[in-house]
Amino acid sequence: MLIKLKHSLLFLLAAVLSQACQQEDVDAKLVLPTDLQVTVLQGERGNVTVNFSAQNANFFRVSFGVDNQFPELVQGNQATFSYRQAGTFTITVQAHATENDFIKEEVQVSISEAAFGLAIPQNGYLSPESYEGYRLVWRDEFEGNALSSDWVFDLGDGCPTLCGWGNNELQWYRRENVRVENGHLIIQARQENAGGRNYTSSRIKTQGRQSFQFGRVDIRAALPKGQGIWPALWMLGDNIDQVGWPRCGEIDIMEMVGGPGTARNNTVHGTVHWDNNGSHAEFGGSVTLREGIFNDNFHVFSIIWDEQKIVWLMDDEPYHEIDITPSALSELRGSFFFLFNIAVGGNWPGNPDNTTIFPQQMVVDYVRVFQKE
């Protein structure tokens, strides 16, 4: 019995030693990749190309540092990606021997706003600072580094009463998307999460600070572009908190609903909204550039507004007019305040798609109000 027990122990020991030797052979055969080399080439409009190589690598995985992305399997030694917003991102490249055995390299890449065509235009129409028969009663040239006290913010998504601001818009309005620099007001729409929304932007207004009844308004601005992008320079009646919309009246000096490519990015609209016996009524017109889009250069969007009519102009050329003398349009003869904003998505422009590049921005050079002497 004792001899048999010894033989069993010896057999068991031999088996353990054999298994250990086999594992050592496997470990000896497994060679981790070495000498991982990564280079990043930046192209236009947020495009990057990542090239990589490593000794003893069987395959590679790459992530581009957006949306908590895990490294994904790629073919060959190159991967490309298009960033849709500015920022600093960490690109991770993994060189694998097996699924669980790899080395990695991280490289940071900075995508500038200039990559998205966000440089402020240097050219465009410039309106005069005076008109015969008018006097300048208010202006904002956006000097300094902050908004003046003439402006306040609308914040959030318009809930609970007007979720999506009444138009099923997708953005969350906040202060951080506005800045004033080098004599310009800049409002940006960005693809980022805030308030349960996937986009952010800003909406500023002069409600309670500056309002006007009649006159000529000139606003010099360069517009954003892209499917689902909806910039607006507009006015609402001072009595909106008492009577609501549309009974307060609305005057849209400029609206643009961006589209893919050049579509719709070359056309702006001028519209009024009012209450017609308890129903919403509206009347609008539009003008299209002969060439280019409104993102290319500055243009001046104007109205000439008196007790009789409202005339819309682009670069001092009239393109639309409405008679406001009928009693049903009396709200358009009241006192109004300004609103400037970029909406994202909504009933009119539709939602952004894979052609939409973020961020987008509207640059306002000045707003001036003239009234008859």
Side-chain angles (χ1 to χ4, degrees):
M1 177 66 76
L2 183 59
I3 293 175
K4 289 182 178 181
L5 181 59
K6 288 181 178 179
H7 282 210
S8 297
L9 290 173
L10 290 172
F11 180 80
L12 179 60
L13 179 60
V16 170
L17 291 173
S18 175
Q19 184 175 2
C21 290
Q22 291 175 9
Q23 184 62 47
E24 288 179 1
D25 291 340
V26 171
D27 293 341
K29 294 177 182 177
L30 177 62
V31 179
L32 283 176
T34 60
D35 195 26
L36 175 56
Q37 302 292 321
V38 178
T39 59
V40 178
L41 303 176
Q42 290 187 234
E44 296 181 349
R45 304 204 63 78
N47 296 319
V48 297
T49 299
V50 183
N51 296 292
F52 39 84
S53 63
Q55 299 294 322
N56 306 315
N58 293 319
F59 59 91
F60 295 89
R61 291 183 177 275
V62 179
S63 68
F64 291 90
V66 297
D67 299 329
N68 298 315
Q69 177 194 39
F70 290 102
E72 297 180 354
L73 181 66
V74 297
Q75 300 296 322
N77 296 81
Q78 187 180 86
T80 60
F81 188 77
S82 295
Y83 289 99
R84 296 194 174 275
Q85 61 182 351
T88 299
F89 305 91
T90 300
I91 298 174
T92 302
V93 177
Q94 296 176 346
H96 286 253
T98 70
E99 189 65 37
N100 298 318
D101 298 286
F102 61 87
I103 60 173
K104 70 177 183 180
E105 185 74 22
E106 294 182 343
V107 178
Q108 283 197 330
V109 59
S110 294
I111 306 298
S112 68
E113 292 185 348
F116 299 96
L118 293 181
I120 294 175
Q122 300 301 307
N123 301 308
Y125 184 80
L126 190 65
S127 59
E129 294 192 44
S130 63
Y131 296 95
E132 185 177 355
Y134 286 85
R135 59 187 177 90
L136 181 65
V137 297
W138 181 72
R139 70 195 298 173
D140 197 334
E141 305 287 330
F142 301 105
E143 301 295 340
N145 56 13
L147 281 175
S148 75
S149 59
D150 289 332
W151 299 92
V152 295
F153 286 85
D154 274 329
L155 301 175
D157 59 3
C159 289
T161 56
L162 287 173
C163 286
W165 298 98
N167 304 297
N168 293 313
E169 299 163 23
L170 304 179
Q171 77 286 335
W172 181 269
Y173 285 130
R174 60 183 195 164
R175 293 180 173 85
E176 291 86 347
N177 293 50
V178 163
R179 70 180 190 270
V180 175
E181 62 182 29
N182 299 321
H184 298 101
L185 163 70
I186 300 172
I187 299 176
Q188 285 196 342
R190 304 170 186 159
Q191 187 174 19
E192 58 187 355
N193 298 325
R197 300 278 178 163
N198 295 325
Y199 304 93
T200 65
S201 187
S202 284
R203 180 160 115 170
I204 61 173
K205 59 186 181 180
T206 63
Q207 186 177 18
R209 307 296 177 89
Q210 293 287 346
S211 58
F212 306 94
Q213 183 182 31
F214 309 134
R216 176 175 179 134
V217 176
D218 289 341
I219 306 174
R220 188 174 193 250
L223 305 184
K225 62 182 179 179
Q227 171 58 39
I229 303 299
W230 185 2
L233 307 167
W234 52 303
M235 306 178 80
L236 284 172
D238 276 346
N239 60 348
I240 185 172
D241 291 338
Q242 289 73 47
V243 302
W245 184 93
R247 289 187 63 195
C248 65
E250 176 178 329
I251 303 172
D252 299 322
I253 301 169
M254 184 289 304
E255 290 182 283
M256 190 198 78
V257 289
T262 59
R264 305 191 306 200
N265 298 299
N266 61 354
T267 300
V268 293
H269 304 262
T271 310
V272 288
H273 302 260
W274 70 95
D275 178 81
N276 184 20
N277 296 320
S279 298
H280 167 224
E282 64 179 87
F283 181 69
S286 64
V287 61
T288 299
L289 291 173
R290 295 182 181 90
E291 61 181 26
I293 63 175
F294 283 99
N295 182 253
D296 296 336
N297 295 301
F298 280 105
H299 294 274
V300 176
F301 307 100
S302 306
I303 58 169
I304 299 175
W305 170 34
D306 59 27
E307 298 90 336
Q308 306 295 317
K309 62 186 178 181
I310 303 174
V311 179
W312 284 259
L313 309 92
M314 192 273 291
D315 294 344
D316 206 34
E317 293 291 332
Y319 69 89
H320 180 50
E321 181 177 321
I322 185 173
D323 178 0
I324 61 172
T325 58
S327 59
L329 279 72
S330 62
E331 52 261 57
L332 299 178
R333 301 193 296 271
S335 182
F336 282 67
F337 62 88
F338 288 107
L339 301 96
F340 295 174
N341 71 290
I342 304 175
V344 180
N347 299 333
W348 193 8
N351 294 343
D353 61 19
N354 58 10
T355 69
T356 310
I357 302 296
F358 286 93
Q360 288 294 324
Q361 68 184 23
M362 176 166 63
V363 182
V364 180
D365 188 19
Y366 56 75
V367 52
R368 298 170 183 163
V369 180
F370 305 84
Q371 291 183 333
K372 289 183 179 180
E373 293 179 337

